[in-house]
Amino acid sequence: MLVTIPDVLKPEEVAHVRSVLETTDWVDGRVTAGDQAVKVKKNLQVPIDAPAAQELGQIILRALAGNPKFMTAALPLRVLPPMFNRYDEGMTFGAHVDGSIRAPGGQRMRTDVSSTLFLPPPEDYDGGELVVHDTYGTHQVKLPAGHLVVYPATSMHSVTPVTRGSRWASVFWTQSMVRDDWRRHMLYDLDMSIISIRSRLPDDDPAVVGLTAHYHNLIRHWAET
Ligand code: NI
């Protein structure tokens, strides 16, 4: 399931993140890539332990914590510290699957959900589409500044070569309370349906009460915490 979430960052937050990134040091993105990805990764990133990455990461984590659509799409148990990457002209990231286990600060985590937060407006660069392959085909994603896409970390994906300008993004992984993408997808669809009927029926309507109970009981049944 691929979900786009608009306006995760406000325009002033995007401007702040971009202005800090303007003055930070970038290193070769291959430093964090695994054996397969290292051969197809050609981009730049801010070192994970750089103070700028940590400060900006906190802004993103705060925004996610207050974003109901991210919460219901990812059902996060833990969100890894956001990373910041950059593709200048000619840079690209070929087909790969993100590493399944990461260990920020020595604590091992499973990556269930991958996220990309777009930072520049799409008209500022050509190319740089995120391409996600799933069982239903190929999806090309290029979103306005401050918008986020989440997709299963099990998906093969790539970033097409940038041919003009520079594409900046924050990428991060979430360990979900519900590791199975299909279960997360069903819970997301059910939650969207509950939101829809709650806009038309009173909250004490038996249909609303029953479906809400069903949602929570499925979470209780499937969640690992
Ligand atoms: Ni990736």
Side-chain angles (χ1 to χ4, degrees):
M1 175 182 68
L2 187 147
V3 178
T4 60
I5 305 175
D7 301 316
V8 168
L9 291 188
K10 301 186 189 86
E12 57 270 26
E13 290 172 320
V14 173
H16 174 69
V17 169
R18 293 186 67 190
S19 73
V20 172
L21 290 177
E22 294 278 1
T23 61
T24 194
D25 290 331
W26 299 81
V27 296
D28 191 317
R30 284 175 292 192
V31 291
T32 55
D35 280 352
Q36 185 270 330
V38 78
K39 300 193 179 98
V40 292
K41 186 175 188 184
K42 187 167 186 294
N43 69 1
L44 300 170
Q45 67 192 31
V46 179
I48 296 170
D49 53 0
Q54 291 176 9
E55 183 219 319
L56 300 179
Q58 287 304 320
I59 294 173
I60 293 172
L61 293 177
R62 257 201 316 274
L64 294 174
N67 190 298
K69 196 168 178 188
F70 175 76
M71 287 294 156
T72 188
L75 295 167
L77 177 61
R78 287 191 278 266
V79 183
L80 266 82
M83 293 165 51
F84 296 87
N85 65 25
R86 161 179 177 178
Y87 296 76
D88 293 340
E89 265 184 48
M91 293 186 180
T92 182
F93 199 162
H96 67 282
V97 166
D98 295 334
S100 50
I101 303 289
R102 300 188 88 91
Q107 190 195 12
R108 275 202 290 264
M109 278 187 42
R110 194 182 61 235
T111 58
D112 296 318
V113 178
S114 296
S115 300
T116 298
L117 177 73
F118 290 77
L119 291 171
E123 57 274 18
D124 280 14
Y125 61 99
D126 292 330
E129 285 89 2
L130 172 68
V131 182
V132 181
H133 308 262
D134 67 15
T135 44
Y136 303 109
T138 296
H139 310 271
Q140 291 223 6
V141 186
K142 186 171 185 176
L143 298 176
H147 292 213
L148 179 75
V149 60
V150 302
Y151 57 98
T154 49
S155 314
M156 188 77 73
H157 59 279
S158 56
V159 176
T160 64
V162 168
T163 57
R164 177 187 64 88
S166 185
R167 176 221 203 244
W168 297 14
S170 176
V171 298
F172 52 90
W173 294 274
T174 300
Q175 179 169 341
S176 178
M177 291 185 288
V178 177
R179 75 154 74 180
D180 180 74
D181 173 51
W182 179 239
R183 289 180 177 176
R184 278 199 311 276
H185 191 164
M186 287 193 287
L187 288 166
Y188 178 78
D189 285 347
L190 178 57
D191 195 28
M192 291 303 109
S193 297
I194 291 170
I195 290 169
S196 170
I197 65 161
R198 284 183 66 194
S199 70
R200 281 171 273 147
L201 295 174
D203 272 356
D204 61 356
D205 186 281
V208 174
V209 176
L211 285 173
T212 303
H214 188 57
Y215 177 80
H216 282 284
N217 288 334
L218 282 173
I219 297 262
R220 206 180 330 271
H221 199 59
W222 288 338
E224 309 158 55
T225 60

